[in-house]
Amino acid sequence: MSDLEIWIVIVALAVSTAITRSGFWLVGHRVTIPRRVNEMLRYAPSCALAAIIGPDLLLEPESLQVTLLNGKLLAGIASVGWYLWRRNMLETIVFGMLFFTALRLLHLF
Amino acid sequence: MNKASDVVTPDPAAWRDGVRTGIPTLFGIGAWGLVVGVAMIKSGLTLPQALGMTLLVFAGSAQLASLPLIAAGAPIWVIFTTGLVVNLRFVIFSALLAPHFRMLPWYQRLHLGFVSGDISIALFLQRYPDPAPSKGKLSYLKGLLYPNWASWQIGSIAGIFLGNVVPAEWGLGFAGTLAILCVMVPMVASRPALCGVLVAGGVSVLAAGLPYKLGLLAAVLVGMFTAMAVEELGDRFAAAKGQP
């Protein structure tokens, strides 16, 4: 692609961000969402977060193969345990990264 | 009773509260941005193009999805559509957040929607599940959104400049996953939410091969339906046992 074409792509992507993220903010008050749908939407944030991290924890990135014994999943489980114990997010992230790095350097997984 | 004007009145305490709530996640967000920055420069974008993309687009997964398409010289409308589809979950998020701030002028709504990220929205809705006006809401939201935006951009720009220095096997993007885990854990305190999250995670893995990251959207929808069904069943069970 030429430089100009890439810049057009970048602007097009910025527009797609604006439509999806800001669309409802701009016209939402003219749309009435049914009560049932609204109730269901309450669960959207947690489900979206789960859907974002699911593949990173469970899949081999190259082959898309499910692996239950991998460093990220184990570090993820250990981190949830740490978080439930300490209730401190920053500590949990540092602990999880150290745990993951240790597993990687020791070639355990 | 709180009025709409209370929502928009600047409230430094609420702003600080928002910043404090978000601070622990910033490290993960920055690391995630770093990974996307490295990916952009490694895919062959020039320095100005990569900087322009991170500053103008601000949508990590859409950026990552577009890189191979740009490299392959795909038509612009295909890349645009891909961006729309990859971002579709934000339509759900904005439907949840917009009612809280409908009193704002349009340019502020456009701007706030544009800088809202997954984790910030989840944290905001934890604090304010109800769209009814409440004092300091806007300041709290900004306290979450602006540092989140800044740490993403700092991480991303660092990644663009570091380019090939950061080895991929360090797995820095994993910090973003850990940040999300921490935000998610308190949200699954109820049985319906837990079921929804488990199902959404499972579907996202099974459907990961779908094009345009449609697996993500499918996972959110199936997870939501599951949570709703479990809630419904729980209500009926409680009613049958004669409890409220």
Side-chain angles (χ1 to χ4, degrees), chain A residues 38-74:
Chain A
N38 234 327
E39 283 177 0
M40 206 158 66
L41 285 178
R42 280 180 296 132
Y43 294 110
S46 52
C47 290
L49 295 179
I52 293 168
I53 62 175
D56 192 36
L57 289 174
L58 284 162
L59 290 180
E60 283 305 336
E62 304 298 328
S63 56
L64 292 187
Q65 262 186 323
V66 180
T67 53
L68 292 173
L69 270 184
N70 75 71
K72 282 186 179 173
L73 182 61
L74 292 175

Side-chain angles (χ1 to χ4, degrees), chain B residues 14 24 27 37 39 59 77 79 82 88 92 97 101 146-147 150 170-171 185 201 207 231 239:
Chain B
F27 182 69
W77 68 267
I79 304 178
T82 303
L88 267 180
I92 299 175
L97 231 63
F101 301 102
Y146 294 162
W170 283 9
V185 168
E231 188 185 300

Side-chain angles (χ1 to χ4, degrees), chain B residues 67-79:
Chain B
L67 293 176
L69 298 174
I70 292 174
I76 288 161
W77 68 267
V78 169
I79 304 178

Side-chain angles (χ1 to χ4, degrees), chain B residues 77-200:
Chain B
W77 68 267
V78 169
I79 304 178
F80 173 69
T81 314
T82 303
L84 280 181
V85 177
V86 173
N87 280 328
L88 267 180
R89 69 178 184 282
F90 283 106
V91 175
I92 299 175
F93 280 161
S94 60
L96 282 166
L97 231 63
H100 294 250
F101 301 102
R102 62 179 62 176
M103 74 294 283
L104 295 176
W106 69 269
Y107 51 87
Q108 275 201 42
R109 281 180 274 141
L110 174 70
H111 153 78
L112 287 173
F114 199 86
V115 296
S116 57
D118 305 271
I119 293 182
S120 310
I121 293 169
L123 290 173
F124 178 83
L125 290 170
Q126 281 275 91
R127 175 68 57 94
Y128 296 108
D130 186 0
S134 155
K135 195 173 160 294
K137 236 184 201 184
L138 183 61
S139 294
Y140 184 76
L141 181 74
K142 287 180 175 173
L144 283 170
L145 292 187
Y146 294 162
N148 179 74
W149 183 88
S151 63
W152 171 268
Q153 297 297 1
I154 291 168
S156 192
I157 291 168
I160 290 169
F161 282 104
L162 290 176
N164 303 326
V165 183
V166 179
E169 65 267 22
W170 283 9
L172 281 182
F174 188 53
T177 297
L178 292 172
I180 289 184
L181 265 181
C182 295
V183 173
M184 205 178 70
V185 168
M187 299 175 84
V188 294
S190 73
R191 190 182 307 168
L194 179 62
C195 294
V197 157
L198 291 176
V199 169

